[in-house]
Amino acid sequence: MENQEVQLSELLQIRRDKLTELQENGRDPFEVTKFDRTHKAEEIKANYDALEETTVSIAGRLMSKRGMGKVSFGHVADISGQIQIFVKKDILGEDEYAIYKKYDIGDIVGVEGKVFTTQTGEISIRAEKVTLLSKSLLPLPEKFHGLVDTDMRYRQRYVDLIMNEDVKKTFIIRSKIVRAIREYLDGQGFLEVETPMLVANAGGAAARPFETHFNALSEDFKLRISLELYLKRLIVGGLERVYEIGRVFRNEGLDTRHNPEFTLMELYQAYTDYHGMMDLTENMYRYVAEKVLGTTKITYNGIEMDLGKPFERITMLDAVKKYSGVDFNEIKTLEEARAIAKEHHIEFEQRHKKGDILNLFFEEYVEEHLVQPTFVMDHPVEISPLTKRKPENPDYVERFEFFMNGWEMANAYSELNDPIDQRERFKAQEEQLAQGDEEANTTDEDFMTALEYGMPPTGGIGYGIDRMCMLFTDSAAIRDVLLFPTMKTLSDK
């Protein structure tokens, strides 16, 4: 280990010495302010017939370099991919070639020259001029993709992006997914908006918020856990179709599908219900898949999921009956629900009502089976404080969760717009809070005021964008689709 550290120290010094020499000779790369690039690597390869023997200029990072006396080969990588450069002493000139030979892998260069194909058939650029645009003072890892320490890949995402082409592609696809979502919703007449991240009351979801103190107002604030309550205010205000794509923050654990800050999209549409949200979800997912992937079939961890077929629709009661054999329609009292839970070794808390226990059965017996796109509908009212009740069965609400691959991908309601009922629901949530449920909501009085002005019948939904990106890119963990996931700070000691 000590020898490795000595070798690294020597390498670092050599690179700094090279920079000093360049600067002393009036060739400081950090004084270069721009470079005129005409093409990217993949663009040249894709249009070779038209570009053969045409002068082009590219810019990127020197990823490989091998020399054979008066001739050198290398590969330059830009955002599109890599292309080979052919550097010859007779073309570049003796002095410039000598300088080029001192460049290191990792340096950022600009190359001007003609497009041609080598004897081995590789499309390349015959360099006529090579300009050092930035000096890399740290050596790139040799086999970064094979590192066992994935922790360092997440911490130093910039190196991960340099060394791992698949990682770069993942984040390009992520960007395209978000763009396609916007295209679809804009085409449906939705208005994109922005609402506060720093709030006095963090409501709209069952989660613990992060808390902070705002010095200027001498008040405690929270980071939002949801986008819901402000977007509903906008529906009250007459903005009939709104959506927001933004970061929310939940003070919870880290695992393969959870990060404390993540990207949520919520949308609200006046004059529709949760059935309208199902139709929108089905159409939007298909549109995004076809736009980004060119197919409605996606494969995750070897399992194919078909977005082209009609999505299954099943009630929570029927799903629990199907996979556990327990029919909660036959369970009339809380005592019966507790007894059946004990019988099936389902752990519950004293505060849990019959609807909570139904949901525990769902989580235990059903979720893992929901691999193909499925809408699970009609949740118990106890776990849905912001949702409109089903008129024919007020113990349940007009809500669905969208599942794929056994994961919850979206959560939607026919939104509760009765301010009297909403106040009672908030009251019930505060009782839960008093009994130790740290994820329960508290009454948002300004939101209540908005509801009392009148909110039209509204359908609303929240989508986990990160999980969608995981499925569309076949990524094993949420950290693989977050450029800079939350990590424990490394100690300096």
Side-chain angles (χ1 to χ4, degrees), residues 94-191:
E94 189 172 340
D95 292 343
E96 290 299 318
Y97 187 73
I99 292 169
Y100 168 77
K101 288 190 75 172
K102 291 184 179 180
Y103 292 169
D104 293 302
I105 291 174
D107 287 350
I108 295 173
V109 297
V111 180
E112 185 178 323
K114 288 187 171 62
V115 179
F116 80 112
T117 304
T118 63
Q119 290 180 344
T120 59
E122 184 168 355
I123 296 171
S124 307
I125 297 172
R126 189 185 300 110
E128 297 170 359
K129 184 179 181 182
V130 181
T131 307
L132 184 62
L133 304 177
S134 183
K135 183 68 186 164
S136 175
L137 298 179
L138 286 173
L140 295 176
E142 289 179 15
K143 295 181 180 178
F144 200 79
H145 185 67
L147 280 180
V148 176
D149 186 9
T150 54
D151 183 83
M152 195 54 67
R153 286 183 48 222
Y154 298 138
R155 290 184 186 280
Q156 296 187 342
R157 181 67 85 189
Y158 37 91
V159 184
D160 194 19
L161 288 165
I162 292 168
M163 302 303 298
N164 191 338
E165 196 66 31
D166 289 341
V167 170
K168 190 185 295 181
K169 286 178 182 175
T170 292
F171 289 104
I172 291 172
I173 290 173
R174 181 187 173 111
S175 178
K176 289 179 178 178
I177 289 168
V178 174
R179 188 187 316 149
I181 290 170
R182 286 192 165 104
E183 283 176 8
Y184 179 78
L185 292 177
D186 292 348
Q188 297 295 311
F190 280 83
L191 185 69

Side-chain angles (χ1 to χ4, degrees), residues 108-355:
I108 295 173
V109 297
V111 180
E112 185 178 323
K114 288 187 171 62
V115 179
F116 80 112
T117 304
T118 63
Q119 290 180 344
T120 59
E122 184 168 355
I123 296 171
S124 307
I125 297 172
R126 189 185 300 110
E128 297 170 359
K129 184 179 181 182
V130 181
T131 307
L132 184 62
L133 304 177
S134 183
K135 183 68 186 164
S136 175
L137 298 179
L138 286 173
L140 295 176
E142 289 179 15
K143 295 181 180 178
F144 200 79
H145 185 67
L147 280 180
V148 176
D149 186 9
T150 54
D151 183 83
M152 195 54 67
R153 286 183 48 222
Y154 298 138
R155 290 184 186 280
Q156 296 187 342
R157 181 67 85 189
Y158 37 91
V159 184
D160 194 19
L161 288 165
I162 292 168
M163 302 303 298
N164 191 338
E165 196 66 31
D166 289 341
V167 170
K168 190 185 295 181
K169 286 178 182 175
T170 292
F171 289 104
I172 291 172
I173 290 173
R174 181 187 173 111
S175 178
K176 289 179 178 178
I177 289 168
V178 174
R179 188 187 316 149
I181 290 170
R182 286 192 165 104
E183 283 176 8
Y184 179 78
L185 292 177
D186 292 348
Q188 297 295 311
F190 280 83
L191 185 69
E192 185 174 11
V193 297
E194 293 177 309
T195 61
M197 290 189 182
L198 204 57
V199 296
N201 188 319
R208 287 178 59 189
F210 288 94
E211 299 183 10
T212 187
H213 185 74
F214 188 5
N215 292 333
L217 295 181
S218 191
E219 283 186 32
D220 290 332
F221 277 75
K222 299 177 178 69
L223 291 175
R224 67 184 181 188
I225 59 172
S226 166
L227 313 173
E228 180 166 347
L229 300 185
Y230 278 98
L231 292 178
K232 284 183 177 177
R233 286 167 168 90
L234 299 180
I235 294 291
V236 171
L239 302 182
E240 295 177 355
R241 297 187 182 203
V242 293
Y243 74 95
E244 180 173 7
I245 300 173
R247 283 293 175 106
V248 296
F249 309 86
R250 298 183 182 180
N251 200 346
E252 58 190 17
L254 295 158
D255 62 31
T256 56
R257 282 185 281 158
H258 293 87
N259 194 71
E261 59 171 315
F262 62 97
T263 302
L264 184 65
M265 181 180 80
E266 292 195 32
L267 63 86
Y268 293 84
Q269 179 180 338
Y271 311 114
T272 191
D273 63 1
Y274 72 143
H275 292 291
M277 292 296 100
M278 287 185 223
D279 294 341
L280 184 148
T281 299
E282 200 163 334
N283 292 332
M284 187 186 78
Y285 258 76
R286 279 197 198 111
Y287 177 89
V288 173
E290 288 175 342
K291 186 85 176 181
V292 175
L293 305 177
T295 176
T296 58
K297 293 181 179 178
I298 63 172
T299 302
Y300 185 84
N301 197 24
I303 298 170
E304 185 178 275
M305 286 161 270
D306 191 352
L307 294 164
K309 295 178 181 178
F311 294 6
E312 183 182 356
R313 303 187 182 196
I314 187 171
T315 67
M316 182 178 278
L317 283 167
D318 287 344
V320 168
K321 183 179 178 180
K322 179 178 178 180
Y323 291 106
S324 75
V326 177
D327 186 353
F328 268 77
N329 276 317
E330 302 299 320
I331 296 170
K332 305 301 181 186
T333 66
L334 176 57
E335 288 70 27
E336 289 174 359
R338 287 175 172 172
I340 202 75
K342 288 176 182 176
E343 209 175 289
H344 286 74
H345 307 290
I346 301 288
E347 293 185 12
F348 60 88
E349 297 178 28
Q350 198 62 30
R351 61 184 173 81
H352 283 153
K353 305 287 194 298
K354 176 187 163 187

Side-chain angles (χ1 to χ4, degrees), residues 1-64:
M1 185 69 180
E2 190 174 327
N3 285 340
Q4 288 179 341
E5 289 178 359
V6 170
Q7 288 174 350
L8 178 61
S9 178
E10 289 174 352
L11 284 173
L12 298 183
Q13 190 57 53
I14 289 168
R15 291 198 176 210
R16 279 161 174 74
D17 290 344
K18 287 181 179 180
L19 174 62
T20 300
E21 183 182 347
L22 286 164
Q23 290 170 331
E24 288 174 348
N25 291 324
R27 301 182 67 122
D28 188 348
F30 299 123
E31 289 184 354
V32 178
T33 57
K34 62 174 291 192
F35 181 81
D36 292 325
R37 176 169 61 178
T38 62
H39 295 79
K40 293 189 178 75
E42 290 303 317
E43 186 183 356
I44 293 169
K45 293 178 185 178
N47 298 283
Y48 175 74
D49 290 344
L51 292 173
E52 186 179 8
E53 292 302 327
T54 299
T55 299
V56 297
S57 59
I58 62 162
R61 194 177 294 273
L62 194 58
M63 297 301 294
S64 72

